[in-house]
Amino acid sequence: MPSAFDFAPFRRSTVGFDRLFELLENSASGQSQDNYPPFDLVKLGDNEFHISLAVAGFTQDEIDITAHQNQLIVSGQKREDNGATYIHRGIANRSFERRFGLADHITVTGADLRDGLLSIELTREIPEAMKPRKIDIGRGETHQLDAPLGDAERSKKTSKQLQDA
């Protein structure tokens, strides 16, 4: 299903934003997504983020966290029951997969499972080459740019430079 918004004018006038437009188009396509497990996404600072997922009933061995190509994938696979007979089962034990799109230079710095909450720490690490830097202005001679010369003028100037040398 195409999105209600046309990104064609933006695609024509930008370079390298294809992935962003694809994400916007896919999210607007009306795909219903399972809301399990519930999560919180918190911005702690300019470059620090925290994700908390409610994964009650899952152990550390049953959860897998993978960062791959600007995407964080958290999945859980419940192991077989130990043969217990449940009268009521209110704690979800179904398998899940939750995906989070990561911006460039976002890395996972840690994860912890405590009291039924999976906490994932994320940090934006901008490479030195991409950080703003001050450019010093030199105080040397000013150079005048020569006007474009025709072939005859260029050969006269070249022969004069050879005579002066």
Side-chain angles (χ1 to χ4, degrees):
M1 176 179 166
S3 72
F5 191 79
D6 182 20
F7 293 105
F10 298 107
R11 286 183 185 270
R12 287 192 298 263
S13 62
T14 59
V15 176
F17 290 93
D18 296 337
R19 183 174 167 271
L20 174 65
F21 294 131
E22 288 171 9
L23 285 171
L24 290 171
E25 288 170 346
N26 290 339
S27 68
S29 66
Q31 296 174 348
S32 64
Q33 195 177 40
D34 189 14
N35 291 327
Y36 177 76
F39 70 93
D40 289 338
L41 177 57
V42 181
K43 183 175 183 177
L44 301 174
D46 287 341
N47 296 316
E48 289 86 29
F49 305 91
H50 178 88
I51 299 173
S52 295
L53 285 103
V55 292
F58 284 86
T59 65
Q60 194 171 359
D61 297 335
E62 296 170 331
I63 297 174
D64 186 42
I65 303 170
T66 307
H68 180 65
Q69 292 183 350
N70 290 0
Q71 200 167 66
L72 176 66
I73 304 166
V74 181
S75 58
Q77 181 70 38
K78 224 26 198 158
R79 294 213 173 95
E80 295 297 319
D81 287 332
N82 55 3
T85 304
Y86 289 90
I87 298 170
H88 171 73
R89 185 153 208 159
I91 299 174
N93 69 339
R94 62 183 176 182
S95 299
F96 68 87
E97 180 175 278
R98 177 67 83 169
R99 294 176 177 261
F100 299 92
L102 301 178
D104 291 336
H105 312 297
I106 298 283
T107 58
V108 178
T109 56
D112 188 32
L113 179 63
R114 183 175 300 154
D115 299 329
L117 286 178
L118 176 64
S119 300
I120 303 171
E121 304 297 327
L122 305 157
T123 303
R124 178 181 299 136
E125 297 173 350
I126 301 172
E128 286 297 321
M130 296 187 74
K131 290 182 180 177
R133 64 182 196 272
K134 181 148 178 79
I135 307 298
D136 293 328
I137 300 172
R139 297 198 181 268
E141 299 176 4
T142 58
H143 298 283
Q144 290 182 342
L145 296 176
D146 292 332
L149 302 175
D151 289 336
E153 293 171 322
R154 189 175 300 120
S155 64
K156 285 181 189 175
K157 186 173 181 180
T158 306
S159 59
K160 182 172 176 19
Q161 288 173 342
L162 289 173
Q163 290 172 357
D164 291 342

